[in-house]
Amino acid sequence: MPLVTTKEMFKKAYEGGYAIGAFNVNNMEIVQGITRAAKKLEAPVILQCSSGARKYASHDYLVAMVKAAADETGLPIALHLDHGPDFETCKSCIDGGFTSVMIDGSSLPYEENIALTKKVVEYAHAHGVVVEGELGTLAGVEDDVAVEAENASYTRPEEVYDFATRTGVDSLAIAIGTSHGAYKFKPGQKPQLRFDILEEVAKQLPEFPIVLHGASSVNQEHIKMINEFGGSMPDAIGIPEDMLRQAAAMAVCKVNVDSDIRIAMTAALRKHLSENPTHFDPRQYLTPARNLIEEVVAHKIDKVFGSTGHAFD
Ligand code: G3H
Ligand code: 13P
Ligand code: ZN
């Protein structure tokens, strides 16, 4: 099946009260782990690549791998640019086979965010590609840029209608307390999300797909596995699954997950190599890593986002 945009997926997800998982991909094993889970559960899925992923694996390899997965599985799969930093990167992805791009102008002054996002939307829409914009700033680390919690800011619901109508974006990422990376809350801190903001945003923008970044839950078993087999990760607290379920039942149609995949892959690799110190064939240690990614993604699709069985409805 050819790659699709997120338009139909989001419409059905909004109406059905579930969300589509958007998983970051950086290599073949990650693409396969995710899409095997989606295939088993007949779920629509978004595979997204950051600028860092394009630097690491190269644009052409990523596009070819994601297209191969869409052909093999027959699933509706969207290929999305995660955190597009500028017009040129978005244009290169639009020209190069992506079906969706994010332009992340969230750190710019409001009017500059609007101008940049609008420019990307005009180019993308002329080429049949959809656009995600962002209002509000998440804390955490992305592409080696760290935003301290005190410099993060919640989305202001009074701005979202103006932003969406003036830019023409197809979906909007908002900041309600999630953050990027494995360390989302300080040790002992109780995880909290501002559902009141999400509710107000949905009132201002009825039936408009909202995106949640920084939504990994951080599996404690996997952190334990990493530390048991030679790693040393400090305590990490993610977004509780029941909060993600609640968001998916509301206006959130796309939930971004990267850290959970990184942690699963690292845990499986550490365990395998530690238990099999003589192994040196990458296929031996990448197989359990790919399997654990598949398990993590299947759990999210089925038990958290609720997108199981919605690939062809
Ligand atoms: O939100 C950021 C994603 O986790 C991508 O991370 O830029 O290190 O590839 P990255
Ligand atoms: P996590 O770091 O919580 O996985 O967030 C990923 C993300 O938002 C990608 O854009
Ligand atoms: Zn993000």
Side-chain angles (χ1 to χ4, degrees):
M1 181 164 183
L3 297 175
V4 299
T5 74
T6 53
K7 207 132 202 127
E8 272 300 296
M9 288 184 194
F10 286 168
K11 190 171 179 294
K12 288 194 245 167
Y14 201 102
E15 286 163 4
Y18 62 90
I20 314 290
F23 302 98
N24 285 73
V25 297
N26 291 282
N27 68 13
M28 184 190 76
E29 283 74 16
I30 299 175
V31 170
Q32 290 178 333
I34 296 163
T35 52
R36 285 178 186 183
K39 171 78 179 164
K40 206 161 61 190
L41 296 166
E42 294 212 343
V45 72
I46 299 166
L47 300 189
Q48 55 189 13
C49 308
S50 65
S51 295
R54 291 176 82 234
K55 204 152 74 182
Y56 173 75
S58 95
H59 177 96
D60 289 344
Y61 273 83
L62 291 165
V63 173
M65 286 191 292
V66 174
K67 281 190 173 159
D71 284 343
E72 189 199 50
T73 59
L75 290 173
I77 295 178
L79 174 56
H80 174 77
L81 168 66
D82 190 28
H83 293 285
D86 48 40
F87 177 78
E88 288 66 34
T89 307
C90 292
K91 181 179 182 301
S92 149
C93 288
I94 293 164
D95 295 343
F98 281 47
T99 56
S100 173
V101 295
M102 173 189 193
I103 176 68
D104 185 354
S106 60
S107 59
L108 296 173
Y110 183 67
E111 288 299 330
E112 285 176 39
N113 187 1
I114 290 195
L116 175 61
T117 305
K118 187 168 187 277
K119 185 174 170 191
V120 171
V121 168
E122 279 165 2
Y123 189 80
H125 285 182
H127 293 80
V129 169
V130 292
V131 180
E132 174 185 323
E134 179 165 342
L135 267 182
T137 330
L138 270 70
V141 183
E142 81 200 35
D143 258 344
D144 300 329
V145 180
V147 179
E148 295 303 329
E150 49 273 22
N151 295 327
S153 59
Y154 293 118
T155 301
R156 294 153 55 90
E158 61 272 27
E159 287 178 348
V160 298
Y161 179 82
D162 182 64
F163 184 85
T165 46
R166 284 172 65 199
T167 58
V169 280
D170 303 276
S171 61
L172 182 66
I174 62 168
I176 58 167
T178 60
S179 68
H180 290 109
Y183 307 104
K184 300 187 189 300
F185 301 97
K186 296 204 170 76
Q189 196 186 354
K190 198 165 156 263
Q192 257 174 342
L193 294 187
R194 292 288 303 273
F195 285 103
D196 57 322
I197 295 180
L198 175 56
E199 211 162 68
E200 194 49 39
V201 165
K203 258 190 223 152
Q204 299 297 322
L205 287 176
E207 285 171 47
F208 194 85
I210 299 302
V211 178
L212 218 51
H213 281 247
S216 279
S217 293
V218 184
N219 183 311
Q220 296 303 310
E221 286 302 309
H222 297 168
I223 300 282
K224 248 190 6 216
M225 228 161 113
I226 288 175
N227 290 339
E228 200 179 320
F229 294 105
S232 92
M233 277 187 78
D235 285 348
I237 308 169
I239 311 296
E241 292 182 346
D242 59 331
M243 292 188 187
L244 296 173
R245 259 180 230 116
Q246 190 179 338
M250 296 167 74
V252 169
C253 293
K254 172 175 180 270
V255 182
N256 284 12
V257 171
D258 186 1
S259 298
D260 280 340
I261 290 175
R262 297 177 179 194
I263 291 168
M265 192 163 194
T266 305
L269 281 172
R270 281 203 178 276
K271 181 171 190 292
H272 183 90
L273 289 172
S274 165
E275 288 175 347
N276 302 277
T278 59
H279 281 183
F280 60 91
D281 179 343
R283 293 169 296 190
Q284 290 173 313
Y285 53 80
L286 290 174
T287 296
R290 183 171 60 187
N291 289 344
L292 197 58
I293 292 169
E294 181 178 340
E295 192 182 306
V296 164
V297 171
H299 173 79
K300 286 183 185 296
I301 287 174
D302 198 45
K303 305 281 186 274
V304 187
F305 306 153
S307 54
T308 293
H310 290 295
F312 306 109
D313 50 34

